[in-house]
Amino acid sequence: MSLFYNIGIAIANFGLKIGATFNEKIKKGVLGRQETFSVLQENVTPQDKTLWFHCASLGEYEQGLPVFKILRNTYTTHKIVLSFFSPSGYEIRKNTPIADVVVYLPIDTKKNAKAFINLLKPELTVFIKYDIWPNFLNELQSQGLRAILISAAFRNDQSYFKFYGKPLRKALFAFEHIFTQNEISKQLLQTINYHAVTVSGDTRFDRVSSQLDIDNTLDFIEAFKNNKLCVVAGSTWPEGENLLVNYINTKASSAIKFIIAPHNIKDSQINQLKDRLKVASVLYSEKDTHTLETAQVFIVNTIGILTKIYNYADIAYVGGGLGTSGLHNTLEPAVFGVPIIIGNIFDKFPEAKDMIALNGMFSISNQEEFDAILDDLIKNSHERIQAGTNNSNYISSNKGAVTKILDYLGLS
């Protein structure tokens, strides 16, 4: 492995430790990584057969979940170790039934990689999308252990395809097979002479489609909606909330219901949002003590229920596409046949580009555009229903990635 890469990792590790003194999220990761090896030693023995799943964060976990579930049910005598790099994944899924042991991935040093792999000796390792750690992957390869990468998406501006990207490029060859989301990614891999690749599509389509197979009923949302047209704003950030609050306060008919699920549910931000609204509103945490039918806005100050709430949407707004944060999951409302409004920053999200082209999604950049699109979708039921149908059809037509991966593993 490149000396420069290892020096860079050491510097990054030092930077994280410094950052942990100022940032609670970074601190959780630093402290969690300090416990990884003791957790593994307590829960994995040399006699155990293991599988290893690695995800950068929560989004990649959800992306890999359809494959994880089948592997869990197939390898019933194996211990499954799930690792995260980000606290936002670990903290939410540290008790998932998919895995026997959930840990933070140690920093990618040669020493850590050797110790980690020697403890696990995984029969199969599954990485999701893009979190490529050369020392871990090279150690897997040197020990002749199987690894695959699923739902991979590559761009030509990534270091794998640059003259200085040799360390990361070499790491890709530790995967015995890579399943890409699209043909462009496959072609990019072929330019570096990696050919063990299949265009499978994105497992997220299979993941969100499975949402239709479960009961998505939420009695308190039904009571709040009260058979009225409902706009659900999911994973919102302040810049999107500004648009919503202005619209609700100045333009919205009392016949329209709004559900807002902020990305940040700290009490200070939730209370500030509620205080700015000039119409009757209720928090999730107040739902058992308030009359829901009379409120016009329902604010979701909890996690874990947004996907089911989208089932009640007639129109959805998905946050993250207006500021510096990335666009959040638009496939979750799309599977329910809902037209979607997003911000104008979506270049790295091919599904957004696709649904915009299909007239199921609408991009806005300011209050005037937001108001115009939302007014049109509210008033024009035919356009609203057709846009939602376009989105649900898009989800259905892109399923199947999981089957291709399982075919390769001989499990279908």
Side-chain angles (χ1 to χ4, degrees), residues 73-97:
N73 292 332
T74 302
Y75 292 91
T76 55
T77 61
H78 287 60
K79 281 191 175 177
I80 293 178
V81 176
L82 170 65
S83 62
F84 289 98
F85 188 82
S86 169
S88 60
Y90 175 85
E91 294 298 329
I92 295 175
R93 291 292 179 257
K94 59 187 176 183
N95 296 314
T96 175

Short mmCIF file of all heavy atoms in Angstrom, two decimals, residues 73-97:
data_model
loop_
_atom_site.label_atom_id
_atom_site.label_comp_id
_atom_site.label_asym_id
_atom_site.label_seq_id
_atom_site.Cartn_x
_atom_site.Cartn_y
_atom_site.Cartn_z
N ASN A 73 -30.72 -15.33 6.41
CA ASN A 73 -31.60 -16.49 6.44
C ASN A 73 -30.97 -17.73 5.83
O ASN A 73 -31.41 -18.85 6.10
CB ASN A 73 -32.91 -16.17 5.72
CG ASN A 73 -33.75 -15.14 6.45
OD1 ASN A 73 -33.67 -15.02 7.67
ND2 ASN A 73 -34.54 -14.38 5.72
N THR A 74 -29.95 -17.52 5.00
CA THR A 74 -29.28 -18.65 4.34
C THR A 74 -28.16 -19.21 5.21
O THR A 74 -28.05 -20.43 5.40
CB THR A 74 -28.70 -18.21 2.98
OG1 THR A 74 -29.75 -17.71 2.16
CG2 THR A 74 -28.03 -19.38 2.28
N TYR A 75 -27.33 -18.32 5.75
CA TYR A 75 -26.19 -18.76 6.55
C TYR A 75 -26.56 -18.71 8.04
O TYR A 75 -26.04 -17.92 8.82
CB TYR A 75 -24.99 -17.85 6.27
CG TYR A 75 -24.44 -18.01 4.87
CD1 TYR A 75 -24.90 -17.21 3.82
CD2 TYR A 75 -23.46 -18.95 4.59
CE1 TYR A 75 -24.40 -17.35 2.54
CE2 TYR A 75 -22.94 -19.10 3.31
CZ TYR A 75 -23.42 -18.30 2.29
OH TYR A 75 -22.92 -18.45 1.02
N THR A 76 -27.47 -19.60 8.41
CA THR A 76 -28.04 -19.55 9.76
C THR A 76 -27.04 -19.94 10.84
O THR A 76 -27.23 -19.60 12.01
CB THR A 76 -29.27 -20.47 9.84
OG1 THR A 76 -28.89 -21.79 9.43
CG2 THR A 76 -30.38 -19.96 8.93
N THR A 77 -25.99 -20.68 10.50
CA THR A 77 -25.02 -21.10 11.51
C THR A 77 -23.81 -20.16 11.57
O THR A 77 -22.90 -20.38 12.37
CB THR A 77 -24.52 -22.52 11.22
OG1 THR A 77 -23.87 -22.56 9.93
CG2 THR A 77 -25.69 -23.51 11.22
N HIS A 78 -23.80 -19.15 10.73
CA HIS A 78 -22.70 -18.18 10.73
C HIS A 78 -22.99 -17.01 11.65
O HIS A 78 -24.16 -16.63 11.83
CB HIS A 78 -22.46 -17.64 9.31
CG HIS A 78 -21.81 -18.61 8.38
ND1 HIS A 78 -22.38 -19.82 8.05
CD2 HIS A 78 -20.63 -18.55 7.70
CE1 HIS A 78 -21.59 -20.46 7.20
NE2 HIS A 78 -20.52 -19.72 6.98
N LYS A 79 -21.94 -16.43 12.19
CA LYS A 79 -22.08 -15.15 12.88
C LYS A 79 -21.87 -14.04 11.86
O LYS A 79 -20.91 -14.08 11.08
CB LYS A 79 -21.07 -15.02 14.02
CG LYS A 79 -21.48 -15.77 15.27
CD LYS A 79 -20.61 -15.41 16.45
CE LYS A 79 -21.14 -16.11 17.72
NZ LYS A 79 -20.26 -15.85 18.89
N ILE A 80 -22.76 -13.09 11.89
CA ILE A 80 -22.66 -11.97 10.95
C ILE A 80 -22.19 -10.74 11.70
O ILE A 80 -22.76 -10.34 12.72
CB ILE A 80 -24.01 -11.70 10.26
CG1 ILE A 80 -24.35 -12.89 9.35
CG2 ILE A 80 -23.97 -10.40 9.47
CD1 ILE A 80 -25.67 -12.78 8.64
N VAL A 81 -21.11 -10.16 11.19
CA VAL A 81 -20.55 -8.94 11.75
C VAL A 81 -20.87 -7.79 10.80
O VAL A 81 -20.56 -7.87 9.60
CB VAL A 81 -19.03 -9.05 11.95
CG1 VAL A 81 -18.44 -7.73 12.44
CG2 VAL A 81 -18.71 -10.17 12.94
N LEU A 82 -21.50 -6.76 11.32
CA LEU A 82 -21.85 -5.58 10.55
C LEU A 82 -21.02 -4.40 11.05
O LEU A 82 -20.99 -4.12 12.25
CB LEU A 82 -23.34 -5.26 10.71
CG LEU A 82 -23.85 -3.94 10.15
CD1 LEU A 82 -23.73 -3.89 8.64
CD2 LEU A 82 -25.31 -3.71 10.58
N SER A 83 -20.32 -3.73 10.15
CA SER A 83 -19.52 -2.57 10.55
C SER A 83 -20.02 -1.32 9.85
O SER A 83 -20.51 -1.36 8.72
CB SER A 83 -18.04 -2.80 10.23
OG SER A 83 -17.83 -2.96 8.83
N PHE A 84 -19.89 -0.20 10.56
CA PHE A 84 -20.20 1.12 10.03
C PHE A 84 -18.97 2.00 10.21
O PHE A 84 -18.20 1.82 11.16
CB PHE A 84 -21.36 1.76 10.79
CG PHE A 84 -22.71 1.16 10.53
CD1 PHE A 84 -23.24 0.23 11.41
CD2 PHE A 84 -23.44 1.53 9.42
CE1 PHE A 84 -24.49 -0.32 11.18
CE2 PHE A 84 -24.70 0.98 9.18
CZ PHE A 84 -25.22 0.05 10.06
N PHE A 85 -18.84 2.98 9.34
CA PHE A 85 -17.83 4.00 9.59
C PHE A 85 -18.46 5.20 10.31
O PHE A 85 -17.86 5.79 11.19
CB PHE A 85 -17.17 4.46 8.29
CG PHE A 85 -15.99 5.37 8.55
CD1 PHE A 85 -14.76 4.85 8.88
CD2 PHE A 85 -16.13 6.75 8.52
CE1 PHE A 85 -13.68 5.66 9.16
CE2 PHE A 85 -15.06 7.58 8.80
CZ PHE A 85 -13.83 7.04 9.11
N SER A 86 -19.68 5.53 9.95
CA SER A 86 -20.32 6.74 10.48
C SER A 86 -21.19 6.45 11.69
O SER A 86 -21.94 5.46 11.71
CB SER A 86 -21.18 7.39 9.39
OG SER A 86 -22.00 8.40 9.93
N PRO A 87 -21.15 7.32 12.69
CA PRO A 87 -22.06 7.18 13.84
C PRO A 87 -23.53 7.21 13.45
O PRO A 87 -24.36 6.58 14.12
CB PRO A 87 -21.70 8.38 14.72
CG PRO A 87 -20.29 8.69 14.38
CD PRO A 87 -20.17 8.41 12.89
N SER A 88 -23.88 7.93 12.38
CA SER A 88 -25.29 8.01 12.00
C SER A 88 -25.83 6.67 11.55
O SER A 88 -27.04 6.44 11.59
CB SER A 88 -25.48 9.06 10.89
OG SER A 88 -24.74 8.72 9.74
N GLY A 89 -24.97 5.77 11.12
CA GLY A 89 -25.40 4.42 10.81
C GLY A 89 -25.36 3.53 12.04
O GLY A 89 -26.33 2.86 12.37
N TYR A 90 -24.23 3.58 12.73
CA TYR A 90 -24.04 2.70 13.89
C TYR A 90 -25.09 2.96 14.98
O TYR A 90 -25.70 2.01 15.50
CB TYR A 90 -22.64 2.90 14.46
CG TYR A 90 -22.42 2.11 15.74
CD1 TYR A 90 -22.01 0.78 15.69
CD2 TYR A 90 -22.64 2.69 16.99
CE1 TYR A 90 -21.83 0.05 16.85
CE2 TYR A 90 -22.46 1.97 18.15
CZ TYR A 90 -22.06 0.65 18.08
OH TYR A 90 -21.89 -0.07 19.24
N GLU A 91 -25.30 4.22 15.33
CA GLU A 91 -26.17 4.53 16.46
C GLU A 91 -27.61 4.09 16.21
O GLU A 91 -28.32 3.70 17.14
CB GLU A 91 -26.12 6.02 16.77
CG GLU A 91 -24.78 6.51 17.29
CD GLU A 91 -24.37 5.86 18.60
OE1 GLU A 91 -25.27 5.52 19.40
OE2 GLU A 91 -23.16 5.68 18.82
N ILE A 92 -28.05 4.14 14.96
CA ILE A 92 -29.44 3.79 14.65
C ILE A 92 -29.63 2.30 14.45
O ILE A 92 -30.67 1.74 14.76
CB ILE A 92 -29.91 4.57 13.40
CG1 ILE A 92 -29.95 6.07 13.73
CG2 ILE A 92 -31.29 4.11 12.93
CD1 ILE A 92 -30.29 6.95 12.54
N ARG A 93 -28.58 1.60 13.97
CA ARG A 93 -28.73 0.18 13.63
C ARG A 93 -27.83 -0.73 14.47
O ARG A 93 -27.58 -1.86 14.10
CB ARG A 93 -28.45 -0.02 12.14
CG ARG A 93 -29.51 0.59 11.23
CD ARG A 93 -30.83 -0.14 11.34
NE ARG A 93 -31.85 0.43 10.49
CZ ARG A 93 -32.84 1.21 10.92
NH1 ARG A 93 -32.94 1.49 12.22
NH2 ARG A 93 -33.74 1.71 10.09
N LYS A 94 -27.38 -0.27 15.62
CA LYS A 94 -26.48 -1.10 16.43
C LYS A 94 -27.18 -2.32 17.03
O LYS A 94 -26.50 -3.25 17.49
CB LYS A 94 -25.84 -0.26 17.53
CG LYS A 94 -26.81 0.41 18.48
CD LYS A 94 -26.07 1.35 19.42
CE LYS A 94 -27.03 2.12 20.33
NZ LYS A 94 -26.29 3.09 21.18
N ASN A 95 -28.50 -2.33 17.02
CA ASN A 95 -29.25 -3.48 17.54
C ASN A 95 -30.01 -4.23 16.45
O ASN A 95 -30.95 -4.96 16.74
CB ASN A 95 -30.21 -3.03 18.64
CG ASN A 95 -29.49 -2.47 19.85
OD1 ASN A 95 -28.53 -3.06 20.33
ND2 ASN A 95 -29.94 -1.31 20.33
N THR A 96 -29.62 -4.06 15.21
CA THR A 96 -30.33 -4.71 14.11
C THR A 96 -30.28 -6.23 14.22
O THR A 96 -29.22 -6.80 14.53
CB THR A 96 -29.75 -4.29 12.74
OG1 THR A 96 -30.39 -5.04 11.70
CG2 THR A 96 -28.25 -4.54 12.66
N PRO A 97 -31.39 -6.92 13.96
CA PRO A 97 -31.39 -8.38 13.99
C PRO A 97 -30.65 -9.01 12.81
O PRO A 97 -30.42 -10.22 12.80
CB PRO A 97 -32.88 -8.73 13.96
CG PRO A 97 -33.53 -7.55 13.29
CD PRO A 97 -32.73 -6.36 13.73
#
